[in-house]
Every structure is written in C-alpha cells, then in structure tokens.
Amino acid sequence: MATQQKKNIIPRDEEPFRKLEPVEPFSLFSAKDIQLFQEGSHDRLYEKFGSHALTYEGVTGTYFAVWAPNAAFVSVIGDFNSWNTYSHTLFPRWDKSGIWEGFVPHLKENTLYKYFIRSNSGEELRKGDPFANHWEVRPKTASVTTNLQYKWKDTAWMNKRAGKNSLVSPFSVYEVHLGSWRRPDPDNHEVFYSYRDMITMLVPYVKDMGFTHVEFMPIMEHPFDGSWGYQLTGFYAPTSRYGSPQDLMALIDAFHHAGIGVILDWVPSHFPYDEHGLYRFDGSHCYEYADMRKGFHPDWNSYVFNYARNEVKSFLLSNACFWLDKFHIDGLRVDAVASMIHLDYSRKAGSWEPNVHGGNENLEAVAFLKELNSVIYSRFPDTQTIAEESTSFYGVSRPVFMGGLGFGMKWMMGWMNDTLDYFKKDPLFRKWYHNQITFSIMYAFSENFMLPLSHDEVVHGKSPMIYKMPGDDWQQFANLRLLYSYMFTHPGTKLLFMGGEFGDTKEWNYKSELGWDLLKHPTHTGLQQYVKALNKLYTTETALYSTQFEGKGFEWIHLADQENSILVFARKSDKGEVLLIALNMTPIPREDYPIGIPWGEPFEEILNSDSPDFYGSGVVNTGTLKPVPGKFGKPYDIHLRLPPLGATILKKLPSGGRG
C-alpha cells in the first residue's frame, strides 16, 4: 500500500498549482530590455531570446522567444509535438516589439524544434532559432534545446589575461580550421575529430610551437562545409560537427590552462539564403537591407545585415558579447570589415547608392562598429578585436573618441601583398624591387597592424607558401625561412595559417588534412623548428613586442644596398635593448660584410635562418662581435657573415660583452 502511494506522488518540482496550457504566457523581458533592444544597444539578448529551461508554477519546461515583427502567427514545432504547426502557439507581446514568446511545460533538453511563422502576407516559413545554442548536425537543420552550464577551470588565465592580450605583449597567432587540421580518415571528409579530441592533439602542438594565441576559423553553425564557416545560420551556436557547446568550452579551457589565448573568427557582415536561416526570417527583410543595392553581396551570394535597424544591431552586439561572456573567448577577428563600411565594395558603378553626403561609406555600419568596439572594451577590457580591413580607411585601430573605429588591431594586407609579391621574384631581379619590400615601414605605425599569412593565401590556385618561393628545393626552404624571419622581426603582431609552419606542399583543402607525413623530411622539420625558434625569439625579446606599434621601436640601419638586395634594421625597446636584423635576399653569401651602426657595444648572434639546425648551409656568426671605428658615415662598423637567402639576428650586449 505504501509503495502504491509513493508511485502516485508527483515530484515536488513537477507538482502543478493548476493544469497548464500547452503554451503559457510568460516573459523574461523587462520594459528596459525592450527599450535597449529597440535602441540597438542591448548586449545581452542571449539571456532573453531563444530557448531557456526554467520552472514556471512548479513545472519545469522551456521558454521560447523569437523576434518576428512581420508575423501574423508563430508557433513552436518539433519532435515533441510531431511538428504540429498549431498545437503550441506563441503569444505576441503587447508592446509592438515584434517579439513572440511563451512557456512550454515539460519540454526537456535535447529536443528538436523550429519556429513555424505565417507572415502578414500569408507566406508560411519554418525557421531555425536565431538564438539557438545547438543545432542538428548538417544536413539536418533543426535547432536543439540545450544549456550552457559548464564548470570553468581557467580562473588563473582569466585573472592574468589582460597582460597576455595586451598590445605591448607578444601576439603570435596560429590560424586553424578545426575540421581539416587533422582527420581520423584523411579520405573521408564526413568524419571529424571532436572538440575534446583536439584537447590532446591541437593544444600541446600549439604550445610546443610557441604560439601565444590560436584563432579558429568560424566555428559557429553553418550548413555548407565549403563556406569554411563564413556562411552562418547559427550565430549563437558552436557547430555540432565537432560536439556540444560544453565540448568547445572544454577545449578553450584546455588552451587557457596551457597559457594560450583563443580568438574566434566572427562574421557580422553577411549570411546565406538557406530557408531555415535569417534570410526573410518572417517573410519580410527582417535582418537584411530591403534595398538589394545594400542588402545583397555579389561576391558571396549572400545577404548583408541591416545596420540601420536597431534590433539587428542589438542582435549582432549581443552575439559578439555572447562568445566573450559564455565561452571566455580572448578576442574576435572581425571578418570582411571593408565590405561592411564601403557601399561600393565589389559593386560596379550604378549598382550602389551613395550615402547622404554623397560618399561611399556605409555610415550605419561605421556607427555600429564604433558601438561594438566601445561595448566590448567596456565589458571585456582584457580582450582584443582585430579587423580584417584591406583599405586605407582612417583609424580602424584608433579609439572611437579620436574618430576611429575602435578596433585593437588591423590586418596589414598591404604588407602581405607586397611581401609575397617580392618573394615570388627570382632573387636576381629583387634589386629592382627594393622599394617594394621596404615600403611597409612608411605606414607601419599608422595603425596597430597584425601581419597575416592567412588561409586566403593558400587557396584558389595561389599555391602553398613553399611553392610561392623561387629556386630549387633548398632555395625554396631558405626563402621561406627568410620570409618568416622578416615577418617576425617586422613591427606588428603575427598570424600564420596552419601548414605554413612546416611548408605544406599542397593548397589547403577543407575536405582533407594537412600533409603531416612531410615531417619525415629534414627540409620540412627544419622549417618547423625554425618557426618554433622565431616564436621563442618574438616572445622572449622585449625589443620585438614592447614597442611593436610605435615608430621609436624601429630604425633603418642599412637601407641603400639595392644592388645586393640587403636590408638591415634595428628593433628597440624602451629599456635600451637592441636587436640588429640583417636580411640577405639573394643566394650569394657575404663574408665580412661591413655595416655602419650607432652603437659601440658588442653584439651576439641569437638566431640565424641558415643554421644547420634548420637545414641551412651553416653561414653563421659565432662568438662576440665587436664594433670597430666607422668608415661608412656611422660612429661604428660591425662586420657580419650574411647567409645566402638568410637572416641573421643579433642582440646588443652590455658594454664589455657577457662578462
């Protein structure tokens, strides 16, 4: 009898005060939330919109909220109601905010769902949740109810990351496409390692190579692998290809435990036209500009966010903060900024409309980016935002109060284009292009520049890094070590795409994996070890990073030897530390090459790209190098051995040498 009574007892947390309807009127929104949402300044919408597990009148269930201002009817459909379009109707808010919401009793986690929307025109749509935190694995398209509960173990990192992410700290980024870094089966692009698999594979590799940060190409949910993640449908969800949100959190946690920051590639510029995504979400141009001269992107066959609509601005602003808040991300690399701020970007004459001042700037996008950076650096001052911006637009990485866009850094696309073009040339002809390799210093300090050698440079027939280099096999590797030497000693932070560190011999292919088998060859292991040595140099020598965005940290020493294609410059710290970098852009070694310098203290070579350790020929400088009275217009001369297609990097010692 007692047993029978116990079976009939309803658990306390499920004991209803009354019989609940299939959908109960309920809201998480306050009047202030609605005000901020409609002003375009709400940065925590992820706490309100989407699906949220909660208890209402003693019953556990799920609350749903979606913005569909042009809808006449909205319901939740899913496996819990056999996708019935009328059984679970949401309630429109009375305040004309366009928000539909309601509480569904007993609906549990890991439930598939979508929104059924009938627009005012009568059109019927079935949409995924723009705020969903988890989705079905593509090609399926339903959203999945879930939670973001995770016990973080990165307190030590979070407490000290302000220093790690500072503009006066070394910032060397390893750019990764998670699906193709390694694969369980290189011949099967449908199978992936998980986020948790990467904890034991990717984390120790990045740490061993000496990179300070890792950057993930977009890991937000996207339907098509071939978009590389740049065509998003789930802006608030890590892609389920590699696991759950908690699995990604564990990977980020592991990177932080290893002392490595995590940057996400973030795409606030456009989205695809998949029927379950944001495009014409409620039958109207809800998220995108209605005028296709602004709302359609011809390059990517996708649609542009309407930065003039305040609700859309709140969506994007909240999305950026979501990743920094819930996933402890250390920075956002913002994709395609140039396309956002220029109305004529990739558009022919007559296919775009000037702004109210007759110019080509998208004033709404400019205002949004300023607001974005202001909010991020206010809420998360120990993070960084990095702009992929390819034009000479003023002040991308200058503070908003100075008229800038407010980014922490900007990609130095001009340096990348000039450098690759120069290194592709036969060394015999480089003397005619001396100005091309030196020109970047003319504008190097106009922005806080990051030097990128990204995925874009090793796809679409551009060839892998190693095959951009001229000459035979030995010269190709020497050239690439020389290029990386120039990159790591040039002012600015660094970014290198995966595979470039060991000279992958094929273009990047998202369906395959990197050519790890190449590391059985000494040429490739030599290059890999050299990149590791460059990272160690960059992260330990203050002169290379403490003044990396300031002109006082750089000085040309020997610039005029175009005939021999030789460059010598110095990098300097505020504390008087000096590194001398000599680059020989030809395969001819130079013995006893005199260089005029202003310092009388001795120097010591601390790295040489031609060392046998890196598969070089061994033209190195040994011992302490003491300057002698100058004969070339400088107080002192120093005589160096300059390696063929090589770099020698020397450090100024205290007067009298080591002793």
Side-chain angles (χ1 to χ4, degrees):
M1 181 67 180
T3 303
Q4 183 64 38
Q5 286 178 336
K6 191 172 182 180
K7 284 184 179 180
N8 293 333
I9 293 174
I10 299 174
R12 183 170 298 276
D13 67 344
E14 291 292 333
E15 185 176 343
F17 297 106
R18 60 179 174 83
K19 179 176 173 56
L20 300 184
E21 298 297 325
V23 181
E24 287 283 333
F26 181 83
S27 183
L28 288 177
F29 289 90
S30 67
K32 186 66 172 178
D33 286 323
I34 300 301
Q35 177 188 343
L36 294 175
F37 175 49
Q38 294 181 326
E39 286 178 351
S41 57
H42 204 310
D43 59 8
R44 297 177 184 268
L45 289 179
Y46 48 89
E47 297 175 351
K48 311 293 178 177
F49 279 111
S51 64
H52 297 273
L54 52 84
T55 300
Y56 174 70
E57 293 197 7
V59 176
T60 58
T62 303
Y63 163 77
F64 293 92
V66 63
W67 180 56
N70 191 51
F73 176 89
V74 179
S75 66
V76 183
I77 59 176
D79 55 359
F80 68 97
N81 65 4
S82 301
W83 304 93
N84 187 312
T85 54
Y86 300 107
S87 62
H88 290 79
T89 305
L90 296 180
F91 298 93
R93 284 185 62 89
W94 57 270
D95 52 17
K96 299 182 180 179
S97 61
I99 297 172
W100 299 71
E101 59 186 349
F103 172 79
V104 180
H106 309 297
L107 194 149
K108 299 178 179 179
E109 287 185 11
N110 299 316
T111 297
L112 303 181
Y113 74 101
K114 284 186 178 181
Y115 295 115
F116 171 76
I117 301 173
R118 182 182 293 118
S119 75
N120 285 324
S121 66
E123 182 180 3
E124 295 183 348
L125 306 108
R126 289 163 175 80
K127 292 288 188 176
D129 188 345
F131 284 85
N133 299 137
H134 197 50
W135 293 67
E136 284 187 289
V137 178
R138 57 93 183 98
K140 297 180 179 179
T141 59
S143 303
V144 184
T145 59
T146 189
N147 70 76
L148 296 177
Q149 295 172 359
Y150 178 79
K151 188 175 181 179
W152 287 93
K153 298 175 282 293
D154 64 348
T155 303
W157 168 267
M158 296 297 283
N159 288 340
K160 69 181 181 183
R161 74 172 181 175
K164 295 284 189 176
N165 294 331
S166 166
L167 294 177
V168 293
S169 296
F171 219 94
S172 180
V173 182
Y174 186 58
E175 186 190 18
V176 174
H177 178 264
L178 281 176
S180 59
W181 184 71
R182 281 189 185 273
R183 287 185 179 274
D185 181 354
D187 298 320
N188 184 354
H189 67 271
E190 292 294 329
V191 181
F192 304 97
Y193 282 116
S194 70
Y195 295 119
R196 290 187 182 270
D197 289 332
M198 289 294 170
I199 293 174
T200 58
M201 301 166 62
L202 181 59
V203 174
Y205 180 78
V206 175
K207 184 174 180 63
D208 180 63
M209 287 300 298
F211 290 96
T212 65
H213 292 73
V214 66
E215 179 182 315
F216 298 149
M217 290 171 66
I219 48 83
M220 300 79 177
E221 194 57 78
H222 52 283
F224 177 47
D225 291 14
S227 77
W228 310 339
Y230 290 97
Q231 298 277 15
L232 307 181
T233 48
F235 281 77
Y236 284 82
T239 177
S240 53
R241 289 168 175 79
Y242 316 129
S244 69
Q246 286 77 10
D247 293 336
L248 175 58
M249 290 172 177
L251 175 58
I252 295 166
D253 218 346
F255 270 114
H256 286 172
H257 187 71
I260 298 165
V262 181
I263 300 168
L264 289 190
D265 223 333
W266 185 57
V267 190
S269 48
H270 61 105
F271 53 86
Y273 54 84
D274 295 73
E275 64 179 13
H276 65 287
L278 297 181
Y279 176 60
R280 298 188 71 253
F281 186 78
D282 60 0
S284 68
H285 295 291
C286 191
Y287 285 91
E288 69 274 13
Y289 284 107
D291 184 345
M292 289 297 100
R293 290 176 296 179
K294 294 173 73 173
F296 179 73
H297 214 298
D299 276 3
W300 305 310
N301 197 27
S302 58
Y303 291 85
V304 179
F305 281 105
N306 183 351
Y307 306 108
R309 191 163 194 172
N310 285 340
E311 294 90 343
V312 174
K313 289 162 64 178
S314 289
F315 173 84
L316 291 172
L317 189 62
S318 294
N319 188 239
C321 291
F322 168 78
W323 294 104
L324 299 169
D325 179 14
K326 296 298 185 181
F327 286 83
H328 290 200
I329 293 302
D330 300 289
L332 297 174
R333 178 268 193 184
V334 182
D335 181 63
V337 171
S339 75
M340 294 172 65
I341 61 179
H342 293 98
L343 296 167
D344 59 346
Y345 185 90
S346 277
R347 290 181 171 89
K348 297 177 181 178
S351 63
W352 63 279
E353 185 179 26
N355 62 35
V356 292
H357 304 299
N360 68 342
E361 297 89 3
N362 185 330
L363 301 178
E364 299 139 6
V366 169
F368 165 71
L369 290 173
K370 290 181 177 183
E371 175 72 6
L372 170 76
N373 285 309
S374 297
V375 169
I376 287 177
Y377 283 112
S378 174
R379 280 191 62 186
F380 308 96
D382 51 357
T383 64
Q384 290 292 345
T385 58
I386 305 161
E388 185 216 8
E389 207 284 324
S390 55
T391 72
S392 56
F393 189 89
Y394 167 76
V396 172
S397 61
R398 292 293 176 257
V400 173
F401 69 81
M402 292 178 60
L405 294 183
F407 285 93
M409 287 176 259
K410 169 183 172 173
W411 273 21
M412 198 176 190
M413 307 295 279
W415 171 88
M416 179 272 297
N417 287 318
D418 285 347
T419 298
L420 292 181
D421 189 58
Y422 177 88
F423 271 90
K424 288 175 184 176
K425 291 179 168 57
D426 188 308
L428 180 65
F429 305 117
R430 285 177 179 171
K431 61 185 177 181
W432 305 113
Y433 299 92
H434 202 66
N435 64 319
Q436 186 175 32
I437 199 66
T438 60
F439 178 67
S440 59
I441 299 300
M442 294 290 290
Y443 61 95
F445 308 107
S446 61
E447 299 272 7
N448 297 338
F449 280 120
M450 172 176 279
L451 280 56
L453 292 174
S454 74
H455 64 276
D456 279 327
E457 309 319 313
V458 292
V459 291
H460 301 323
K462 295 180 183 178
S463 85
M465 290 298 299
I466 190 63
Y467 289 155
K468 296 181 194 294
M469 304 296 107
D472 58 23
D473 186 63
W474 187 92
Q475 289 188 355
Q476 286 179 321
F477 280 93
N479 265 305
L480 193 50
R481 293 194 303 272
L482 177 59
L483 188 160
Y484 290 159
S485 303
Y486 174 56
M487 174 184 182
F488 274 82
T489 56
H490 189 287
T493 55
K494 329 295 174 186
L495 178 138
L496 184 61
F497 183 58
M498 63 182 198
E501 77 276 17
F502 63 81
D504 203 345
T505 55
K506 61 182 184 299
E507 284 193 345
W508 172 56
N509 181 353
Y510 72 91
K511 291 185 177 181
S512 185
E513 69 169 9
L514 301 183
W516 296 105
D517 59 318
L518 294 170
L519 289 173
K520 64 187 177 184
H521 302 293
T523 47
H524 294 275
T525 55
L527 177 61
Q528 184 190 50
Q529 290 304 306
Y530 189 61
V531 171
K532 183 176 177 179
L534 283 171
N535 269 323
K536 183 177 180 181
L537 178 81
Y538 174 53
T539 56
T540 56
E541 293 296 336
T542 312
L544 289 178
Y545 62 78
S546 64
T547 53
Q548 58 193 343
F549 302 124
E550 301 176 72
K552 66 181 180 181
F554 179 91
E555 182 181 348
W556 282 119
I557 300 299
H558 190 67
L559 182 60
D561 194 357
Q562 296 97 325
E563 186 63 30
N564 294 312
S565 297
I566 291 170
L567 294 175
V568 185
F569 55 89
R571 295 295 308 280
K572 302 177 289 185
S573 75
D574 281 331
K575 297 179 180 178
E577 296 158 314
V578 175
L579 294 187
L580 193 64
I581 297 98
L583 308 176
N584 180 7
M585 304 296 192
T586 73
I588 302 170
R590 307 288 176 179
E591 297 286 348
D592 197 30
Y593 188 90
I595 298 167
I597 60 173
W599 306 283
E601 294 88 350
F603 281 77
E604 180 182 52
E605 185 174 85
I606 56 175
L607 189 62
N608 189 311
S609 67
D610 198 46
S611 167
D613 294 340
F614 313 123
Y615 206 73
S617 63
V619 179
V620 299
N621 295 277
T622 58
T624 301
L625 304 173
K626 296 181 179 180
V628 297
K631 297 181 180 179
F632 300 95
K634 296 285 182 71
Y636 303 95
D637 290 345
I638 189 168
H639 291 255
L640 301 178
R641 299 183 76 203
L642 300 185
L645 294 172
T648 174
I649 302 167
L650 307 105
K651 184 174 183 177
K652 181 168 71 72
L653 300 174
S655 182
R658 286 179 177 274

